Amino acid sequence: MAKGKRATAMAENRAKLIRAARKAFATQGYADASMDELTAAVGLTRGALYHNFEDKKGLLWAVVEQIDGEMAERLRIAREQAPSLWLGLLAEGSAYIEMALDPEIQRIMLLDGPAVLGDPSKWPGENACLEITMRTIRALIEQGIVKPVDVEAAGRLLNGAALSAALWVAAADDPKSVLNKAVDAFRELASGLLRDAREPA
Amino acid sequence: MAKGKRATAMAENRAKLIRAARKAFATQGYADASMDELTAAVGLTRGALYHNFEDKKGLLWAVVEQIDGEMAERLRIAREQAPSLWLGLLAEGSAYIEMALDPEIQRIMLLDGPAVLGDPSKWPGENACLEITMRTIRALIEQGIVKPVDVEAAGRLLNGAALSAALWVAAADDPKSVLNKAVDAFRELASGLLRDAREPA
DNA sequence: GTAATTCACATACGAGGCGTATGTCAAGAG
DNA sequence: CTCTTGACATACGCCTCGTATGTGAATTAC
């Protein structure tokens, strides 16, 4: 049982470091986040960091993975609450846009993440958000609601549109009205994928 | 006239530094680019750098501004060569995607730029690329070809879609076939903006 | 039961890199 | 001819990262 105790203590320290990193990376950005400060903030030193993670990048990997999972979960919920698959796709887009309003997500997942870790499409967890969107599109094609487009291409461009919309909204002086415009435009664009121009229920 | 000589010499050094920075930032990334190496590569020192620019960020600003201008010019040409305004919009999208295949543009404009300088929509030169897209959309609305959508919203989402398409293509193992898929998907999405589902010539 | 090993960190060290303060030399001003 | 200005170069200090080494507790071996 003593071994279990040590294992959980280590897991707690890992969690502490990740939590501290989320804060530090979100508020100061990856480059300006000091590992000394970050670790000291949770009563540890850089020694713990380099023992639990590969390096500074490794810590960012862990943070990104955690946030990515949370985002995917929220997307899944948004889609499941929609009354139809097509509205589910639109709901995913809206949810994605709204998520990107979170400074943490914006900074870590949309700015520093890609810059430091490279293209998100090659992240492990295989970009859970994209996977979800693709699954929805694939189902819509099978139902004959969406044109037989390339699923990955459509998913990526749709997510890309949502992403830029999110950044726009986040940087706007008047986020509320801009959010409405962004969501509307997203619907119009998405409707280009429809087999019939008229949107289904 | 001696004053002119000094002025041009300074301009040349500025240009040298910017050129060196484009190379260094593109190949090593902003964070890993050493100012000592960068300046030494053109026979100068960091002294010249901090005299001509505010700091490392300032140099990146200058580089970004230069590349942004070049990109806008290429977009303009792509649109002007198209036989119609609508096809011009699609041509812009394709050109944007193809440009992002350039590692320099990808790294500096799409990855490090946003991470270090913040949201591109607030860059000076006011994001020339977006301006061009918006102008085209506005004209298409006036001609009754495109739905009366919010111009900025449509422009941003369209550019965002092109951007993510570009990143996808750039990171692909087989860029050629992926490029086709991406351009196709872009057209489908864009057609969502059309008043009539049938695409005009 | 004790000696040895492993583990999960802490501490210490070295190597850059950035920004700034200071020095320098040529060019114009007066 | 002196003085100032400008365009750099040189020198310095501070910070940060990664690694090498130390350490005490926990586990294992005997």
Side-chain angles (χ1 to χ4, degrees):
Chain A
M1 208 36 169
K3 187 170 189 179
K5 244 183 186 170
R6 267 181 49 180
T8 55
M10 186 174 175
E12 279 173 14
N13 281 347
R14 266 188 68 100
K16 272 191 203 171
L17 289 172
I18 292 180
R19 252 177 291 163
R22 283 180 70 149
K23 257 187 217 166
F25 290 161
T27 57
Q28 314 177 19
Y30 175 80
D32 291 340
S34 163
M35 303 310 250
D36 275 325
E37 289 181 13
L38 190 156
T39 52
V42 291
L44 295 170
T45 69
R46 283 211 328 275
L49 211 171
Y50 288 94
H51 186 71
N52 280 283
F53 304 91
E54 191 70 19
D55 53 4
K56 191 178 181 182
K57 259 193 202 177
L59 181 58
L60 180 57
W61 275 115
V63 169
V64 161
E65 204 165 343
Q66 187 178 86
I67 298 180
D68 191 50
E70 296 171 8
M71 289 177 69
E73 179 63 11
R74 285 174 62 177
L75 282 190
R76 198 180 55 76
I77 292 174
R79 188 201 51 204
E80 287 178 355
Q81 285 181 343
S84 77
L85 206 53
W86 173 252
L87 293 179
L89 184 67
L90 297 183
E92 279 181 20
S94 300
Y96 192 85
I97 294 174
E98 283 168 18
M99 277 194 291
L101 293 183
D102 182 352
E104 192 183 57
I105 290 179
Q106 205 181 328
R107 183 82 202 179
I108 298 178
M109 303 298 282
L110 310 182
L111 290 177
D112 288 337
V116 177
L117 306 178
D119 189 78
S121 63
K122 299 214 162 182
W123 292 357
E126 292 304 324
N127 210 333
C129 295
L130 175 60
E131 275 304 320
I132 288 186
T133 301
M134 283 172 56
R135 222 187 304 273
T136 305
I137 293 176
R138 196 174 293 119
L140 281 164
I141 292 177
E142 285 167 5
Q143 294 185 8
I145 296 175
V146 158
K147 296 175 190 170
V149 294
D150 184 87
V151 174
E152 186 173 1
R156 283 181 182 274
L157 297 219
L158 225 44
N159 270 10
L163 165 56
S164 89
L167 290 177
W168 178 36
V169 174
D173 300 323
D174 177 13
K176 256 190 204 169
S177 77
V178 169
L179 175 60
N180 285 332
K181 290 182 193 171
V183 171
D184 285 346
F186 181 83
R187 286 169 181 243
E188 299 291 353
L189 276 186
S191 74
L193 297 178
L194 285 172
R195 179 180 283 261
D196 299 322
R198 264 192 58 78
E199 305 194 9
Chain B
M1 214 28 163
K3 188 167 189 178
K5 241 180 188 172
R6 268 181 51 181
T8 55
M10 186 173 175
E12 279 172 15
N13 281 347
R14 265 187 70 99
K16 271 191 203 171
L17 289 172
I18 292 180
R19 252 176 291 165
R22 283 180 69 149
K23 257 187 215 166
F25 290 161
T27 57
Q28 314 177 18
Y30 175 80
D32 291 341
S34 163
M35 295 289 126
D36 276 325
E37 290 181 12
L38 191 157
T39 50
V42 291
L44 295 171
T45 70
R46 284 212 327 278
L49 211 171
Y50 287 93
H51 185 71
N52 279 283
F53 304 92
E54 191 71 18
D55 53 3
K56 191 178 182 181
K57 258 193 202 175
L59 181 57
L60 179 58
W61 274 115
V63 169
V64 161
E65 205 166 342
Q66 188 177 88
I67 299 180
D68 191 50
E70 295 171 9
M71 289 177 70
E73 180 63 13
R74 284 173 64 176
L75 282 190
R76 199 180 54 78
I77 292 174
R79 187 201 51 203
E80 287 178 354
Q81 285 180 343
S84 76
L85 206 53
W86 173 252
L87 293 179
L89 184 67
L90 298 183
E92 278 181 21
S94 299
Y96 193 85
I97 294 174
E98 283 167 18
M99 277 194 292
L101 293 183
D102 182 350
E104 192 183 58
I105 290 179
Q106 205 182 329
R107 184 82 206 184
I108 299 177
M109 303 298 284
L110 309 182
L111 291 176
D112 288 337
V116 176
L117 305 179
D119 189 80
S121 62
K122 298 213 161 183
W123 292 357
E126 292 303 324
N127 211 334
C129 295
L130 175 60
E131 275 304 320
I132 287 186
T133 301
M134 283 173 57
R135 222 188 303 273
T136 305
I137 293 175
R138 196 174 292 119
L140 281 163
I141 292 177
E142 285 168 4
Q143 294 186 9
I145 296 175
V146 158
K147 297 175 190 169
V149 294
D150 184 88
V151 174
E152 186 173 2
R156 282 180 183 273
L157 296 220
L158 225 44
N159 269 10
L163 166 57
S164 90
L167 289 176
W168 178 35
V169 174
D173 300 324
D174 177 12
K176 255 190 204 168
S177 77
V178 170
L179 175 59
N180 285 333
K181 290 181 192 171
V183 171
D184 285 347
F186 182 82
R187 287 168 180 246
E188 299 291 354
L189 276 186
S191 74
L193 297 178
L194 285 172
R195 181 179 281 263
D196 299 322
R198 264 193 56 78
E199 305 195 8

